[in-house]
Amino acid sequence: MAEPEIAQRSPYVEEMEPGTYYWCRCGRSQDQPFCDGSHKGSEFSPIEVVITEKKKVAWCGCKHSGTKPFCDGTHAKLKS
């Protein structure tokens, strides 16, 4: 299985409104942390996330979290 590209080595912390979002799993999107279709032709696909109430979310930026699509601190352990 291919490894995702590391978009950034920290989370994307954002205040989110209720709605459906598609988290970029491949790391190639220019609209991080969300999918812009850059995964086309790869084995990656976005993760659909439904937010039901306004809240602050820490989206994984390194794409290696064990709790995808949310940050679990894995970025601090990645080798450069």
Side-chain angles (χ1 to χ4, degrees):
M1 181 172 184
E3 288 289 316
E5 293 182 21
I6 297 171
Q8 73 177 25
R9 293 179 179 271
S10 59
Y12 293 93
V13 180
E14 299 186 12
E15 189 74 34
M16 302 303 300
E17 295 291 334
T20 302
Y21 299 90
Y22 294 88
W23 176 78
C24 169
R25 190 185 300 214
C26 71
R28 298 177 191 161
S29 174
Q30 296 299 304
D31 191 27
Q32 291 293 334
F34 306 109
C35 179
D36 69 359
S38 294
H39 65 276
K40 300 264 192 272
S42 75
E43 62 190 75
F44 295 100
S45 59
I47 294 178
E48 180 182 56
V49 179
V50 177
I51 304 288
T52 58
E53 59 189 43
K54 185 174 180 174
K55 64 180 175 177
K56 189 175 280 191
V57 176
W59 301 100
C60 174
C62 72
K63 311 302 176 183
H64 289 80
S65 173
T67 58
K68 292 175 184 73
F70 308 110
C71 180
D72 69 356
T74 297
H75 60 272
K77 301 175 189 122
L78 294 176
K79 295 180 182 178
S80 30

